[in-house]
Amino acid sequence: MKPSLGPIDPGERLLVIDILRGVAVLGILIVNMDSYAWPLDLSRLGWADSTGVFDRLAGAFIRLFAEGKFYTLFSFLFGFGLAIQMGRAEARGAPIARLYARRLLVLLLIGLTHALLVWYGDILVTYAILGFPLLLFRHRRLKTLMIGTITCWLVAALLEWLVSGIALAQWSEDVAGVARAIQIYGHGTFGHIFAQRLRDVKVLYLVGLSSLPTVFAMFLLGLWAGRRGVFQDLGASRLLLKKTAFWGLVIGGAGNLVYVLGRDLTGETPSPLDVISGMAHVLGAPLLMLGYVASIALLVQRESWRRRLAPLAPVGRMALTNYLLQSVICTTAFYSYGLGYYARIGLAGGLLLAVVIYVVQVVLSGWWMRRFAHGPMEWLWRVLTYGQAI
């Protein structure tokens, strides 16, 4: 069934959410592309970290508009999803905690499989683990959710300051580690790649500990938005959305500009300015993300824009499938057991490849959702959660 292009009513709020998920799928791919194609220990997004004007411009674009904005968007939508499921469970008179816990356990299983067998940069394990403490907030007052959001956000900034300071004091470039990863992913056997992936998973999870407060802050904010009914009646939320769009784009954009310029001014060697730019990014990226969310919600209220954005909704409805499919496609393209293009593509080429892959996903998702109610992995998730095909 095609989305209605008439006036939005409360029942059509999922169109907005699906479009937002579809946008997040693109943003995640753009950011992840460099990690698919190059070692974890080698950052190439800084102006001084890559060669060629086009690659440098692509890196600046990714950091300014994408990096840190889309895993937080998925986090926001994850929290919003709990609010939606709570409403459905209450309507049926069913307990939410047990069912939601099963969903999280299945998501954890999928995430671990993804991380260990496909690509180390998985985010699903983080979502699954943090989903359990989120359950404790499902009946908290809206004010409590907002206080929790702000607190976690500030803790994230504090951790960024501490972690950046430690990294600044202990920094040394692991040239041998980078060379080893390039050799293994680009030319090694599947067994060698598996062992390297295990190492990268451990490193990434340790490094990613500092991002947990940001993820949980967005969980709480998404739950707040769902409980408050921000997307249930877009007309009633129009003023809030306008303010969020303006201040999110202005303040968030400024914070991300500080991040980009600060990182570029320091060059390859870390400096105290990296600490400032890192904190600006931790605080500014979620704000810019909220500016994206509010802007898209406002655009969807216009019929012409709803028609343009509607093709992204099927991508969002099968976001889990598309996220995992991106990893399969990219690791096959770059790793030695596939085409073997590891460490051979620049940032500009990676950005172009991400757009091409996403266009294909838009076409395939539209085709699939016209024939089936759920994406393949979404269907599997439901089957494993409920114990039967429903």
Side-chain angles (χ1 to χ4, degrees):
M1 180 180 296
K2 295 183 178 180
S4 170
L5 296 179
I8 290 183
D9 59 49
E12 292 179 295
R13 67 185 182 276
L14 293 181
L15 173 63
V16 180
I17 300 303
D18 287 339
I19 290 173
L20 288 172
R21 287 197 183 102
V23 171
V25 168
L26 172 60
I28 287 290
L29 177 58
I30 288 174
V31 175
N32 285 347
M33 184 59 70
D34 190 52
S35 297
Y36 285 131
W38 290 84
L40 173 62
D41 297 322
L42 181 63
S43 172
R44 303 186 310 132
L45 294 181
W47 188 261
D49 298 327
S50 59
T51 58
V53 174
F54 289 112
D55 284 345
R56 292 180 174 185
L57 290 175
F61 173 85
I62 293 168
R63 285 181 295 137
L64 184 58
F65 296 107
E67 186 183 12
K69 289 77 175 175
F70 294 101
Y71 84 87
T72 52
L73 175 52
F74 265 131
S75 303
F76 174 85
L77 295 172
F78 194 94
F80 184 86
L82 174 57
I84 294 293
Q85 292 171 50
M86 285 174 56
R88 291 172 175 171
E90 291 171 357
R92 300 193 310 268
I96 181 65
R98 183 178 299 178
L99 176 63
Y100 196 72
R102 287 205 301 268
R103 283 178 57 84
L104 293 176
L105 288 174
V106 174
L107 184 64
L108 178 63
L109 176 62
I110 294 173
L112 287 173
T113 303
H114 176 226
L116 297 178
L117 297 182
V118 183
W119 182 57
Y120 60 81
D122 173 80
I123 192 66
L124 302 178
V125 170
T126 298
Y127 287 173
I129 293 174
L130 289 183
F132 286 99
L134 180 64
L135 272 174
L136 302 177
F137 288 85
R138 66 188 186 279
H139 295 309
R140 301 296 182 184
R141 294 184 303 167
L142 294 180
K143 182 179 180 180
T144 302
L145 296 178
M146 186 55 68
I147 292 174
T149 297
I150 296 173
T151 300
C152 289
W153 210 337
L154 295 177
V155 168
L158 176 61
L159 283 177
E160 175 64 27
W161 176 67
L162 293 173
V163 171
S164 297
I166 295 173
L168 180 61
Q170 300 180 349
W171 179 83
S172 63
E173 187 176 1
D174 185 8
V175 177
V178 169
R180 182 174 60 252
I182 291 176
Q183 174 63 29
I184 291 175
Y185 283 124
H187 307 282
T189 65
F190 187 86
H192 293 147
I193 291 176
F194 178 77
Q196 178 69 25
R197 190 186 296 120
L198 283 179
R199 177 262 178 194
D200 287 341
V201 165
K202 290 187 291 185
V203 171
L204 190 63
Y205 283 169
L206 287 174
V207 173
L209 289 176
S210 61
S211 68
L212 298 186
T214 299
V215 172
F216 199 73
M218 295 304 102
F219 276 11
L220 293 175
L221 189 60
L223 180 58
W224 176 89
R227 293 266 307 280
R228 191 181 184 277
V230 172
F231 298 106
Q232 274 82 340
D233 188 344
L234 292 178
S237 302
R238 189 172 181 81
L239 181 59
L240 173 63
L241 292 172
K242 283 186 174 181
K243 290 181 178 179
T244 303
F246 178 79
W247 292 112
L249 295 176
V250 170
I251 300 178
N256 281 275
L257 188 60
V258 170
Y259 164 64
V260 172
L261 294 178
R263 178 64 182 86
D264 288 340
L265 289 174
T266 61
E268 297 180 356
T269 304
S271 78
L273 188 56
D274 281 312
V275 179
I276 297 174
S277 64
M279 292 178 66
H281 184 242
V282 168
L283 295 173
L287 281 174
L288 187 55
M289 176 275 292
L290 293 174
Y292 292 166
V293 169
S295 298
I296 291 172
L298 290 169
L299 289 174
V300 169
Q301 296 180 61
R302 302 180 181 181
E303 183 176 345
S304 59
W305 273 102
R306 213 182 315 166
R307 186 181 296 110
R308 295 186 185 104
L309 294 172
L312 305 186
V315 181
R317 289 178 62 189
M318 46 191 295
L320 177 61
T321 296
N322 282 312
Y323 170 69
L324 296 174
L325 181 60
Q326 289 171 357
S327 292
V328 172
I329 292 173
C330 291
T331 53
T332 301
F334 296 127
Y335 288 6
S336 62
Y337 55 73
L339 299 180
Y341 278 94
Y342 195 79
R344 293 168 59 184
I345 186 171
L347 291 172
L351 184 59
L352 178 60
L353 178 60
V355 172
V356 171
I357 292 173
Y358 185 73
V359 170
V360 173
Q361 288 188 307
V362 170
V363 174
L364 290 178
S365 298
W367 177 87
W368 184 277
M369 296 310 302
R370 286 192 295 270
R371 290 162 174 79
F372 305 98
H374 308 287
M377 291 306 301
E378 287 74 13
W379 176 83
L380 178 63
W381 193 5
R382 290 172 64 89
V383 168
L384 295 177
T385 298
Y386 293 99
Q388 57 183 340
I390 59 173

